[in-house]
Amino acid sequence: MNADGRTRLNETPEWTALAEHREELGGVGLRELFDTDPGRGTGYTLQVGDLHVDYAKHLVTDETLRLLRELAAATDVFGLRDAMFRGEKINTTEDRAVLHTALRAPRDAVIEVDGRNVVPDVHAVLDKMAGFAERVRSGEWTGYTGRRIRNVVNVGIGGSDLGPAMAYEVLRAFTDRDLTVRFVSNVDGADLHEATRDLDPAETLFIIASKTFTTIETITNATSARSWLLQALGDEKAVARHFVALSTNAEKVTGFGIDPDNMFEFWDWVGGRYSYDSAIGLSLMIAIGPERFREMLDGFHLVDEHFRTAPAESNVPLLLGLLGVWYGNFHDAQSHAVLPYSHYLSRFTAYLQQLDMESNGKYVGRDGREVEWQTGPVVWGTPGTNGQHAYYQLLHQGTKLIPADFIGFAEPVAELSGELTAQHDLLMANFFAQTQALAFGKTADEVRAEGVPEELVPHKTFRGDRPTTTILARELSPSVLGQLVALYEHKVFVQGAIWNIDSFDQWGVELGKVLAKRVEPALTEGAEVPGLDTSTKALVAKYRELRGR
Ligand code: F6P
């Protein structure tokens, strides 16, 4: 029993039933599941908004899904979901509400935090962002010397970088191609150097994105960006025309020298990795325009409403969360691949890594006790066709079970034409072929029937039974991107709820930050750092030697 009165997850009858069911299923494979159910290919599908979700190629039966839903009911996933949507402080270790869903709520919605309706605040900031974005896009907002802004550089890290950087790539076809938009996150000076070396400071706007405005990487880069600008423009007053801030911390923003009028606010109930549809999306909004940004928010909202209201049987985020639990907890899968068949989604998995791994990479439960079950998987992947010629070998014939999501689109983006449009069918042929090969493999008899010499038969045999979800939409639009991100946000939520962990804190990143601060004087001044282990001490000495210090 937990301190909160909840039965330990792995002691619930629902968990035990799933473990027994897993035993009973044994080696039942996808060929058998498809042979015994001719309707499986069409029956194991769901639709949410524009997303067609096919889960037929999973190692599950109706009974598996029923038992998984019972686990969700026993762990009160929907109860926690409702508490989240109501604005209750479900991020208990930080005593905060979790309301990224309010960021995309319609203007007339009412969502209260501590008795205050936050929706008007959300829309006030969105309106302010829209006004600013339009002024930059139209050329009305000029730099200090009166020149038009042609370059936008977002300086932020983690949730203050990955979301807008990913979405900018995804929606490139919708961006103003006359604007150069770049993202600087790494405290390695090379990042800022490469992002600015060919830019004219008089035409460059820096957007300093940091929820806390204390993150050392971001503040360091922002300070260097300021020097770069001032070196060229020579007047402190230029900062007000070339720097804006996205933050929850007005005091620190002002302290940095940014005009509070040029600060776009958000709130502590928006987690960093859930924030790119808040003010953190300003660079994206400048790139695609407020109207497209609004379409994206509507896409998010559509899936929020689906998650909030759809029954368990047809609730897509619930289903995806449960499938992850099935593999992670009952098949010992350690990782989860996300494989988009769209070049524009090249940063999508990197974005999901923070969303998923920072949310659910925890071994301590809400009750403060260590969990006795696997929690969040390692999330990885790159665009599919490139992966096919790199790591798919392991997906097909490796010793590990790696469930994967395949994401693809029926239409190429509208900008493509001629032969490039025609290439889309080849791309998608790979998309469909891969999930088929992963699921059904190739038997030894099939290989022999091709006349393959006996000694090569084992090498050319594919066991199959590698589970995949296929997510297919007609086209990649701002709305579809919003739908996809919300789908994954809520999937992560479902899993955190089942595993009984707080998916909204991130204490695990603190220790490294504290130690870095402590170690820095040892590198620069050779200072004696108390408590430094012998390995790190020797490495620091080697570093100083190599730097000639
Ligand atoms: O890496 C930890 C973290 O706090 C993330 O959760 C967050 O997205 C990132 O740092 C950046 O934080 P901030 O927006 O406050 O600069």
Side-chain angles (χ1 to χ4, degrees):
M1 182 80 80
N2 273 350
D4 57 5
R6 198 170 136 164
T7 308
R8 296 284 277 172
L9 178 62
N10 55 348
E11 289 165 9
T12 60
E14 291 77 10
W15 183 275
T16 310
L18 275 161
E20 284 169 8
H21 173 69
R22 167 78 183 93
E23 286 275 301
E24 277 158 29
L25 274 183
V28 172
L30 286 169
R31 282 184 186 239
E32 192 179 332
L33 292 175
F34 273 77
D35 285 349
T36 51
D37 177 8
R40 188 176 173 102
T42 47
Y44 273 39
T45 60
L46 286 173
Q47 185 79 24
V48 50
D50 296 304
L51 310 176
H52 174 81
V53 179
D54 181 310
Y55 58 99
K57 297 187 185 81
H58 278 288
L59 298 164
V60 294
T61 62
D62 286 351
E63 178 66 357
T64 321
L65 296 170
R66 191 185 65 75
L67 291 171
L68 285 166
R69 284 194 297 269
E70 287 196 353
L71 184 70
T75 48
D76 198 22
V77 173
F78 282 174
L80 192 69
R81 171 201 66 185
D82 294 343
M84 172 177 76
F85 276 95
R86 274 198 304 271
E88 284 177 30
K89 297 192 174 171
I90 64 163
N91 175 358
T92 46
T93 70
E94 294 181 318
D95 194 28
R96 287 178 180 166
V98 174
L99 268 182
H100 41 279
T101 50
L103 298 171
R104 48 265 191 160
R107 229 173 250 281
D108 56 1
V110 177
I111 302 169
E112 294 190 348
V113 179
D114 293 330
R116 178 188 166 84
N117 180 14
V118 298
V119 179
D121 300 340
V122 167
H123 282 272
V125 173
L126 282 172
D127 292 344
K128 183 174 167 183
M129 288 165 65
F132 182 75
E134 287 296 16
R135 281 196 286 158
V136 173
R137 285 164 66 83
S138 68
E140 188 192 326
W141 178 280
T142 54
Y144 181 64
T145 64
R147 299 249 291 278
R148 189 181 177 142
I149 296 296
R150 297 191 187 278
N151 317 308
V152 176
V153 181
N154 186 84
V155 179
I157 197 163
S160 299
D161 163 74
L162 286 163
M166 172 276 290
Y168 173 71
E169 286 303 325
V170 174
L171 300 176
R172 245 178 206 272
F174 298 88
T175 60
D176 177 344
R177 298 290 195 172
D178 292 332
L179 276 171
T180 298
V181 182
R182 292 183 180 157
F183 296 85
V184 171
S185 54
N186 200 326
V187 77
D188 182 342
D191 199 2
L192 185 65
H193 169 70
E194 289 298 333
T196 52
R197 55 179 288 281
D198 57 345
L199 303 186
D200 181 344
E203 298 181 342
T204 302
L205 174 74
F206 287 98
I207 298 181
I208 311 303
S210 176
K211 180 176 167 180
T212 54
F213 229 76
T214 57
T215 304
I216 191 128
E217 292 88 342
T218 301
I219 301 307
T220 306
N221 274 326
T223 308
S224 300
R226 202 166 176 274
S227 308
W228 177 82
L229 183 94
L230 291 180
Q231 229 165 43
L233 302 184
D235 186 346
E236 283 281 331
K237 286 201 207 95
V239 173
R241 302 298 300 175
H242 291 267
F243 276 76
V244 300
L246 321 173
S247 188
T248 58
N249 193 338
E251 205 182 309
K252 293 270 181 206
V253 168
T254 322
F256 183 84
I258 294 179
D259 184 344
D261 279 354
N262 296 341
M263 167 173 158
F264 298 83
E265 189 195 5
F266 60 113
W267 307 272
D268 75 355
W269 41 263
V270 182
R273 54 194 173 273
Y274 297 87
S275 68
Y276 97 79
D277 43 357
S278 71
I280 291 294
L282 184 65
S283 52
L284 175 69
M285 191 192 265
I286 293 172
I288 63 172
E291 206 175 308
R292 299 291 197 192
F293 196 86
R294 183 76 251 171
E295 284 169 28
M296 184 186 75
L297 295 184
D298 290 345
F300 272 98
H301 182 64
L302 189 155
V303 173
D304 292 344
E305 283 303 282
H306 165 86
F307 180 49
R308 194 175 66 79
T309 59
E313 291 73 15
S314 55
N315 198 302
V316 182
L318 180 74
L319 171 76
L320 297 188
L322 290 174
L323 288 169
V325 167
W326 176 236
Y327 294 114
N329 298 114
F330 299 96
H331 283 262
D332 295 327
Q334 298 289 316
S335 80
H336 182 92
V338 180
L339 307 166
Y341 277 66
S342 162
H343 188 68
Y344 290 104
L345 283 165
S346 59
R347 301 285 321 269
F348 190 64
T349 311
Y351 169 77
L352 291 185
Q353 283 180 325
Q354 188 197 15
L355 175 65
D356 201 320
M357 293 162 80
E358 199 168 84
S359 295
N360 286 343
K362 289 158 194 172
Y363 63 72
V364 174
R366 287 178 174 277
D367 58 344
R369 289 175 62 190
E370 287 194 17
V371 299
E372 291 158 7
W373 44 89
Q374 288 288 315
T375 60
V378 177
V379 176
W380 62 282
T382 52
T385 36
N386 296 355
Q388 283 172 214
H389 294 272
Y391 50 77
Y392 272 39
Q393 164 66 39
L394 186 146
L395 292 185
H396 284 286
Q397 288 186 317
T399 52
K400 294 169 177 61
L401 179 80
I402 302 177
D405 296 347
F406 278 65
I407 304 172
F409 303 92
E411 297 279 353
V413 300
E415 240 182 38
L416 301 189
S417 59
E419 284 173 9
L420 298 184
T421 311
Q423 285 180 213
H424 193 71
D425 290 328
L426 179 56
L427 170 73
M428 292 306 284
N430 277 281
F431 176 79
F432 295 117
Q434 287 295 330
T435 60
Q436 190 192 7
L438 287 164
F440 304 109
K442 198 171 184 184
T443 63
D445 286 344
E446 286 168 343
V447 177
R448 275 188 202 104
E450 288 174 355
V452 170
E454 196 55 35
E455 68 274 18
L456 282 182
V457 169
H459 298 282
K460 295 198 165 195
T461 300
F462 291 68
R463 232 190 265 147
D465 290 336
R466 319 267 155 154
T468 56
T469 301
T470 297
I471 301 176
L472 183 64
R474 193 171 67 77
E475 60 177 354
L476 181 51
S477 65
S479 169
V480 165
L481 173 63
Q483 294 173 40
L484 274 172
V485 174
L487 184 61
Y488 281 97
E489 284 178 348
H490 297 318
K491 172 201 160 175
V492 166
F493 176 93
V494 165
Q495 296 185 333
I498 291 176
W499 292 323
N500 197 28
I501 51 180
D502 184 339
S503 300
F504 302 100
D505 61 16
Q506 55 285 317
W507 300 108
V509 298
E510 293 306 319
L511 180 61
K513 287 187 196 173
V514 173
L515 293 182
K517 267 196 194 146
R518 225 190 280 161
V519 170
E520 203 191 354
L523 306 187
T524 51
E525 302 151 23
E528 194 59 41
V529 179
L532 214 59
D533 66 89
T534 52
S535 157
T536 312
K537 209 171 178 170
L539 286 166
V540 167
K542 190 75 194 165
Y543 171 85
R544 282 182 58 80
E545 181 195 318
L546 290 171
R547 286 214 67 178
R549 288 184 177 151

